[in-house]
């Protein structure tokens, strides 16, 4: 069940601001409010989906491929390919997800430490 009042839904509706990196008709990329690395961008599809599985199961192939192509577009725009980056999508309670709208974290700009 998708919660229309989650914080990223409010950002998509422009009810609260974000520090935008890129936007098009299918997706929005913005800087994380509490960055865990020098570069910490969040990418969200403009599709009501609670998590990765929800997005992959319920969005059409066009939305899915456009979104992931845009993740690569941001990686290119920020010139991250040579030095590297880490993509994370926390899902559910065990995954440590806080905001119930599917999002990809793009972490880069320094060596990203191990999770444990
Ligand atoms: P999760 O734990 O759900 O994978 O990550 C949620 C992320 O959203 C966290 O890294 C957190 O800092 C970020 N975040 C939470 N609220 C806001 C907000 O209002 N604006 C922005 N830009 N990021 C947020």
């Amino acid at each position: 069940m998708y919660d229309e009042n989650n914080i990223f839904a409010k950002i998509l509706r422009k009810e609260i601001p974000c520090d935008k990196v890129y936007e098009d008709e299918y997706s929005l990329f913005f800087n994380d409010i509490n960055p865990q690395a020098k570069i910490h961008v969040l990418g969200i599809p403009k599709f009501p989906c609670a998590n990765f599985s929800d997005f992959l199961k319920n969005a059409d192939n066009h939305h899915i491929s456009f979104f992931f192509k845009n993740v690569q577009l941001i990686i290119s725009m920020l010139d991250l390919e040579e030095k590297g980056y880490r993509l994370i999508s926390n899902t559910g309670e065990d995954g440590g997800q806080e905001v119930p709208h599917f999002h990809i974290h793009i972490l880069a700009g320094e060596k990203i430490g191990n999770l444990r």
Side-chain angles (χ1 to χ4, degrees):
M1 188 69 173
Y2 182 73
D3 170 15
E4 296 282 350
N5 285 318
N6 77 75
I7 199 99
F8 292 170
K10 289 180 181 177
I11 287 175
L12 282 176
R13 292 196 298 267
K14 318 281 188 215
E15 290 168 13
I16 61 169
C18 71
D19 180 15
K20 184 160 72 179
V21 173
Y22 176 82
E23 180 173 19
D24 63 23
E25 64 181 310
Y26 292 115
S27 63
L28 174 66
F29 291 80
F30 53 99
N31 287 311
D32 196 292
I33 207 166
N34 181 23
Q36 302 299 306
K38 285 186 184 149
I39 295 172
H40 187 170
V41 174
L42 298 170
I44 59 179
K46 293 184 174 180
F47 183 86
C49 49
N51 57 45
F52 176 84
S53 298
D54 187 7
F55 183 51
L56 271 287
K57 286 195 288 188
N58 294 314
D60 60 42
N61 287 346
H62 185 65
H63 268 87
I64 293 168
S65 91
F66 214 95
F67 177 74
F68 286 104
K69 291 269 189 195
N70 277 347
V71 173
Q72 174 55 33
L73 178 71
I74 302 309
I75 288 164
S76 291
M77 265 176 56
L78 299 179
D79 202 17
L80 303 180
E81 279 182 68
E82 193 184 328
K83 293 284 281 176
Y85 53 86
R86 184 174 295 175
L87 302 180
I88 295 177
S89 182
N90 299 319
T91 301
E93 198 181 330
D94 282 359
Q97 183 179 7
E98 286 170 20
V99 180
H101 182 108
F102 165 57
H103 51 282
I104 288 267
H105 296 254
I106 304 172
L107 295 152
E110 62 187 298
K111 201 163 176 69
I112 309 300
N114 291 328
L115 291 173
R116 304 180 189 214

